[in-house]
Amino acid sequence: MEKLKRSLTAFIVPVLSILLAFAIGAVIMALLGASPVQALQYLLKGAFGSRANIGTTLSRATPLMFTALCACFAYKCGVFNLGGEGQFIIGSVAACYVALRSGITGPAAAILCLIAGALAGGLWGAVPGALKITRGQNEMIISIMLNYVATLFMGVVYTNWLRDASVPQTEAVPEATQLPRVVTGMRFTWALVIAVAVGLLLYYFLFWTSTGFKLRAVGFNMTASRFNGFPIKRYILTSFIVSGAIAGLGGAAELLGTQLRLINGFGAGYGFDGVAMALIGQLHPIATMLVAVFFAALRTGSTTMQAATGVPTSVSDIIQALVIVFSVAGMALVKLPEFEAFRLRVFGKRGRKEGVKA
Amino acid sequence: MSFVSNLLLATVRMAVPLLFIALAELYSERAGMVNIGLEGLAAIGSLVGFLVCFISGSTWLGILCGALAGIAVNMIYAVATVSLCADHTVYGMAMNIFAPALASFIYRVYFGAGSDLSQIELMRGIGLPVLKDIPFLGDLLFNQTPMVYIAFALVAFTVVFFNKTRAGLNYKSVGEHPKAAATLGIDVIRVKYLACVICGALAGIGGAYLTTCYSNTYSEGTVAGRGFIALAAVIFGRWSGGGVLLACLFFGFCDALQIRLQVASFGLPYQFFQMIPYLATIVVLAAIGAKKAGPKASGKPYRREER
């Protein structure tokens, strides 16, 4: 019963936050002189209105799923990996090198690219992890600094080392190496399948294996885990590496599936978005993936909305941001003893009656 | 010689926004509030500062409104963390996502999509009489914009406030041991809200400085990680006013150095030089390790009823 109540709150809070965020979004739309109902209709239509649109939404959800799972996994172990963006970018840079410079093409090259991406991302994630366990240093600041370094490094790659003639971008990944679409007429590629597989794997690992349980225990109460003899430091480092590898794999998959070349702005913002999605999804891998689809739907749909009603796409960014602002505050609110008292005062009668019956 | 003096001049200019933002964090953490949302606060400050200055033509009004915007946004953080006891780090991250989104939304609504860069006139420098004529040091320290003087004055005030005044010691006690502070009759909740007001204002000013005193345009990457570097500066500066000043001068120097080196080029891609401030932050943090010097109750929720 207690568990059911908890999972019900975990579901209700994000949903209410989304509704509240949309309500404020609607007010903003109205203030901008558009009809909110119409704008929201176009938003929905743009995101899910046709097979092609659904395909685009899923395609845009793919990289978000990777960075969201990256944040989710690290946070489950009690460390804050804010470096998803850097790990994503470094993964794509490694994949780009393999795709353009290894001399091989085809599915084998694609697999090699994905492995290279995951390795590079894992390595990039290992830096804040290692500094945390050896120097006790704040992993958040380090991982964010590494985001900037990765973005600049990618800049060197596309403006110098792998530059495509006069344009500041790399050459495109050879067609044979690209990740193909799963269904014709829909834009999403096998990258989505990989993302979902990673998500399911994480879910299985975290909730159905004993190592996963220990990892969650470390995240839940580090001191208790230490007294239990869990090798905390090893867990922290491993979770950083795995988390980075997921983001790096995502960068590689995004390059091979959708973007095809490194260019200014590649991966920008995905890291923090990932953190937001993981938090809204209550750090549950599957819920997190659904939130990624929701974020992607907002982005795809807002383009249609802008074209049809003139409401700028950045309204959808505001809605997204409000969802996180509300859901995190909401989760804190329901944990307050005052809230529990309030809930009992309002619904208390019924609760007591049930108690009598039982 | 001119390379060195230009470098030092740029160091002071680059250190000032960091200094405002780092002092914001210092005031916040001294009351036990770890606020990692500085990047977002500075982003909204830079936008509002720019926009108000663009409309009114007054840099001072811009900076004032930047501070007010910082306060307004930080009140969301304050309610969530002080009253609702939300996790400081998680909520700071939420602010880092929310505030920049709000800033770019306002910019796009006001200027329209794809508009060319609007520019404003930067705040002018004011030389302090007599002092500015001191060779070398005069230009460096006494011939700057008033914001530079304000920043340094604020450091001096902070040092005195936290070490020499009763109010400052009371304020600090909230960050060290809120329950003990409460038994002495200090209104812990009020101090925490006050800390959030100061933090929002200073971070907003730091952001507004970037658009009204440093670069005369606004773009989405204006703050460029300074909110996080400021966090590192507080750790590096050991949570003291003087320490934070030195840390900010160091990071400002790194920033100034990378700009100078970019100009000199040495045949390397310019991005490598741009990495310098970020790499320096990592190296510094790794080098100082985790000596716990910060306020003891930092980041912990305070609930009056719990004993």
Side-chain angles (χ1 to χ4, degrees):
Chain A
M1 186 62 207
E2 193 56 31
K3 200 181 167 198
L4 181 79
K5 208 177 82 190
R6 220 179 320 137
S7 50
L8 200 65
T9 351
F11 176 75
I12 287 176
V13 169
V15 169
L16 274 183
S17 309
I18 289 172
L19 291 179
L20 203 54
F22 268 107
I24 295 184
V27 171
I28 295 175
M29 288 168 190
L31 288 177
L32 292 174
S35 146
V37 178
Q38 204 189 11
L40 288 173
Q41 268 170 355
Y42 277 108
L43 188 77
L44 198 66
K45 208 165 123 193
F48 300 111
S50 69
R51 253 170 65 88
N53 292 9
I54 296 175
T56 309
T57 298
L58 290 177
S59 158
R60 294 194 74 172
T62 310
L64 298 175
M65 282 183 186
F66 281 107
T67 52
L69 289 170
C70 152
C72 172
F73 187 75
Y75 204 57
K76 269 284 178 211
C77 188
V79 282
F80 229 159
N81 180 6
L82 301 183
E85 184 171 319
Q87 292 141 14
F88 184 92
I89 286 172
I90 285 296
S92 69
V93 169
C96 191
Y97 259 94
V98 174
L100 298 180
R101 287 289 181 272
S102 69
I104 50 170
T105 54
I111 292 171
L112 214 58
C113 286
L114 294 173
I115 294 173
L119 285 177
L123 208 63
W124 208 249
V127 178
L131 285 174
K132 176 159 183 80
I133 61 170
T134 57
R135 307 291 305 161
Q137 216 20 280
N138 186 320
E139 76 272 19
M140 295 181 288
I141 305 179
I142 307 264
S143 56
I144 288 170
M145 292 298 118
L146 286 171
N147 287 345
Y148 291 101
V149 175
T151 305
L152 290 167
F153 184 75
M154 177 179 75
V156 176
V157 171
Y158 70 72
T159 56
N160 284 278
W161 296 345
L162 290 180
R163 187 179 179 134
D164 184 16
S166 64
V167 199
Q169 60 181 31
T170 64
E171 291 162 42
V173 172
E175 208 176 325
T177 313
Q178 294 170 11
L179 290 176
R181 292 184 181 181
V182 183
V183 192
T184 43
M186 292 175 97
R187 200 182 259 171
F188 68 90
T189 65
W190 281 92
L192 177 71
V193 179
I194 300 173
V196 172
V198 169
L200 292 176
L201 208 64
L202 281 193
Y203 170 71
Y204 173 77
F205 171 75
L206 284 170
F207 294 97
W208 298 97
T209 67
S210 68
T211 321
F213 169 76
K214 282 183 194 157
L215 190 126
R216 282 189 293 139
V218 172
F220 192 68
N221 191 335
M222 228 171 246
T223 322
S225 306
R226 185 175 300 125
F227 284 120
N228 251 319
F230 293 174
I232 309 267
K233 289 190 170 177
R234 206 192 312 155
Y235 274 104
I236 289 179
L237 183 60
T238 314
S239 74
F240 251 109
I241 293 175
V242 172
S243 160
I246 296 169
L249 180 67
E254 175 72 358
L255 180 81
L256 299 184
T258 310
Q259 298 287 340
L260 308 180
R261 47 176 106 229
L262 296 177
I263 191 165
N264 184 26
F266 182 94
Y270 284 176
F272 282 11
D273 287 340
V275 175
M277 290 178 276
L279 291 172
I280 297 169
Q282 313 283 326
L283 304 180
H284 189 293
I286 294 172
T288 298
M289 288 196 289
L290 291 177
V291 178
V293 174
F294 166 67
F295 268 41
L298 269 179
R299 286 167 198 201
T300 328
S302 64
T303 322
T304 313
M305 178 184 74
Q306 182 171 30
T309 64
V311 174
T313 54
S314 44
V315 170
S316 74
D317 295 338
I318 295 276
I319 295 178
Q320 260 174 47
L322 285 173
V323 173
I324 169 122
V325 165
F326 288 140
S327 67
V328 178
M331 281 320 283
L333 175 73
V334 295
K335 278 191 201 127
L336 285 182
E338 286 93 336
F339 182 81
E340 187 65 20
F342 173 76
R343 201 180 60 85
L344 283 178
R345 215 180 311 136
V346 177
F347 302 103
K349 242 182 193 165
R350 208 176 49 198
R352 236 177 287 143
K353 262 185 205 158
E354 277 167 11
V356 170
K357 251 186 247 165
Chain B
M1 190 56 210
S2 83
F3 178 82
V4 175
S5 64
N6 279 335
L7 182 64
L8 293 178
L9 203 61
T11 297
V12 173
R13 269 183 207 145
M14 302 311 297
V16 168
L18 274 179
L19 197 51
F20 278 113
I21 305 173
L23 286 173
E25 182 68 11
L26 182 64
Y27 277 92
S28 194
E29 289 203 21
R30 276 293 171 205
M33 312 290 297
V34 174
N35 191 341
I36 68 162
L38 299 168
E39 183 83 4
L41 295 176
I44 194 78
S46 70
L47 179 270
V48 172
F50 173 77
L51 198 61
V52 170
C53 181
F54 182 78
I55 296 167
S56 71
S58 158
T59 43
W60 285 107
L61 199 62
I63 285 174
L64 180 72
C65 291
L68 291 177
I71 295 173
V73 171
N74 207 33
M75 278 305 104
I76 305 175
Y77 167 87
V79 170
T81 54
V82 179
S83 299
L84 302 181
C85 296
D87 186 287
H88 291 188
T89 321
V90 169
Y91 220 79
M93 256 334 269
M95 299 319 291
N96 276 336
I97 295 165
F98 171 71
L102 184 64
S104 67
F105 170 74
I106 296 172
Y107 184 82
R108 277 182 211 167
V109 168
Y110 190 82
F111 290 100
S115 62
D116 38 30
L117 284 174
S118 311
Q119 298 190 335
I120 53 174
E121 204 175 325
L122 290 177
M123 185 180 280
R124 285 213 191 86
I126 296 176
L128 297 182
V130 187
L131 287 173
K132 78 172 169 19
D133 298 324
I134 302 171
F136 190 64
L137 278 183
D139 259 350
L140 191 58
L141 296 175
F142 303 113
N143 202 7
Q144 300 270 16
T145 60
M147 292 312 288
V148 176
Y149 310 137
I150 293 176
F152 288 124
L154 204 58
V155 172
F157 171 79
T158 304
V159 172
V160 175
F161 176 70
F162 280 135
N163 296 311
K164 301 285 176 208
T165 69
R166 174 173 287 272
L169 292 172
N170 283 347
Y171 187 107
K172 265 192 341 191
S173 70
V174 171
E176 297 291 340
H177 201 310
K179 276 168 205 160
T183 55
L184 291 174
I186 297 168
D187 189 341
V188 173
I189 303 285
R190 206 174 71 182
V191 172
K192 280 179 182 281
Y193 268 98
L194 176 69
C196 289
V197 170
I198 299 174
C199 174
L202 291 179
I205 291 173
Y209 176 94
L210 289 169
T211 43
T212 58
C213 300
Y214 176 65
S215 113
N216 58 350
T217 57
Y218 171 84
S219 69
E220 271 170 37
T222 299
V223 186
R226 287 189 178 85
F228 299 111
I229 294 180
L231 276 176
V234 173
I235 299 173
F236 190 27
R238 290 269 156 270
W239 289 269
S240 77
V244 165
L245 171 66
L246 291 179
C248 287
L249 284 173
F250 170 74
F251 289 127
F253 174 77
C254 292
D255 220 350
L257 183 69
Q258 68 84 6
I259 297 169
R260 295 284 131 198
L261 290 178
Q262 266 189 59
V263 177
S265 163
F266 301 112
L268 273 173
Y270 67 92
Q271 289 96 337
F272 281 117
F273 301 115
Q274 286 186 334
M275 287 179 197
I276 290 174
Y278 307 114
L279 289 173
T281 308
I282 296 173
V283 170
V284 162
L285 283 180
I288 57 176
K291 276 172 264 158
K292 285 276 183 289
K296 297 205 175 47
S298 225
K300 295 194 183 115
Y302 169 76
R303 301 193 36 73
R304 213 173 314 192
E305 289 76 12
E306 273 172 18
R307 286 286 178 252

